[in-house]
Structure formats: C-alpha cells, structure tokens
Amino acid sequence: MVSDTLTRKLDLTFRHLDANGDGVISDDDAAGLVTRMLTAFGESETSPKGSALVSSMQSYWEFLLSHADTNGDGVVDPAEFRTAMVKAYVKNDKGYQQAFAPVAAATVHLADVDNSGAVSLEEFELVQKAFNNPVENTREGFAKLDRNGDGKLSVEEYLLAIREFYTSDDPDATGNWLFGQV
C-alpha cells in the first residue's frame, strides 16, 4: 500500500511530465521536459551536460514504460504511472539506481551551471521553471532542502531530496519539499 503523501507526490510528478495536459505521458512529454530543461539552462542536447540529460531521460522513460504500459498503447495514464513508479523505483532500489538516479544526477549537474558542486537559489529556480512549478513554491522548498543552511544545495543535498521526494512514504521527509509544499 502506498501512503497518501507518496500518492500526492507521484500525481504531481505525473502533471510535471504531462506537458500537453492530455492526461497521459508519451515519448513527446518526456522529450518536452528535457527540452524545457535544456532551454532554461541554455544548453545544447549535444553538450556534455545536455547529452547526459537526454540519454538518462531516455533510459528512465524506457524503463518506466516497460513497467507502466500494461496495455501496450505507448502512453502512460496516471494509474499506470503510480503503479509503475512504486514497482520500478520505490520498491526496487536496483531500478532506482539503474534508471532514476542517472536522470536525477544529470538534472542536478545541469542545474550546477558554474560547476561549483552546489546549486544556488537562482539555478534551482530554473529547474522549477522547467518543471512548470509555481515560483511561489520555490523559495520555501529551497530553504527546507538546504539542510545545512549555507544558502545553496550541495549536489548531495539535492540528490538526497530527489530520492526522498520520489521514493519516501514519510510525510516528514525533507525531500518532500522538492517542489514546494505538497
């Protein structure tokens, strides 16, 4: 059984991916998120950071689709998405490490524009914009995720937040603030 907290987070994730709002996620939606992220950071899909994001998102999408598309129609609806995310990543650390962790790392490294090993509030806001997340959620989320209070998210803090957001049932997990209050 999946908690209400995790269900809300997965439903929000579905809305982030469903770029055209048609109620399903397709190849085009996954590619659209990559395009929004690359555009937000002014990266080409052939740059090292862009290439890492493109290839990791493609692997994530293929892995998710293999677990989610139970009727073979090439798209994923909200129920399929929830079930697949739990099966493929929440209850499967190997799946998380294989397909989700690389896209999380590529996202964080893309956001670390100056290669400082940390993400500033401004860089974090660009990620949030690419995910179509309302800006009012950004600052409070950033402050909560900045566990050591140094005004930036280390790569480790950011990756931990991503993992907690997408896999934790704990309603008090700090990572729940990845996209603001859920």
Side-chain angles (χ1 to χ4, degrees):
M1 185 161 181
V2 178
S3 72
D4 289 339
T5 299
L6 187 56
T7 298
R8 284 193 314 275
K9 293 186 297 183
L10 293 177
D11 288 350
L12 176 62
T13 302
F14 183 89
R15 291 190 302 274
H16 288 157
L17 287 169
D18 183 15
N20 63 8
D22 66 355
V24 295
I25 304 170
S26 66
D27 290 337
D28 290 341
D29 290 310
L33 177 57
V34 169
T35 298
R36 290 191 314 268
M37 290 178 66
L38 293 175
T39 300
F41 288 97
E43 285 286 336
S44 155
E45 65 183 33
T46 58
S47 72
K49 288 182 177 185
S51 178
L53 183 65
V54 169
S55 66
S56 63
M57 179 58 95
Q58 184 62 39
S59 294
Y60 158 77
W61 174 245
E62 289 170 3
F63 191 84
L64 181 65
L65 196 60
S66 74
H67 284 79
D69 188 16
T70 56
N71 60 7
D73 63 357
V75 298
V76 177
D77 67 36
E80 288 174 324
F81 181 77
R82 264 185 249 110
T83 300
M85 286 291 290
V86 170
K87 179 180 173 185
Y89 304 119
V90 175
K91 294 185 177 178
N92 181 1
D93 188 62
K94 185 177 178 181
Y96 183 88
Q97 293 301 326
Q98 176 186 343
F100 204 96
V103 78
T107 298
V108 172
H109 291 296
L110 177 71
D112 181 11
V113 174
D114 60 3
N115 299 312
S116 66
V119 174
S120 69
L121 175 60
E122 294 77 21
E123 292 164 335
F124 184 74
E125 287 174 335
L126 290 174
V127 173
Q128 299 296 310
K129 181 179 176 185
F131 275 84
N132 295 322
N133 196 39
V135 73
E136 59 269 10
N137 287 336
T138 302
R139 291 181 188 269
E140 185 175 12
F142 185 87
K144 298 274 187 182
L145 299 178
D146 181 12
R147 294 172 196 242
N148 64 7
D150 66 356
K152 58 189 176 222
L153 298 179
S154 70
V155 168
E156 294 78 23
E157 283 175 318
Y158 205 164
L159 290 173
L160 177 58
I162 291 170
R163 183 169 194 136
E164 285 179 347
F165 183 86
Y166 290 106
T167 65
S168 177
D169 271 333
D170 180 359
D172 298 320
T174 301
N176 293 350
W177 286 90
L178 184 63
F179 296 105
Q181 190 169 15
V182 178

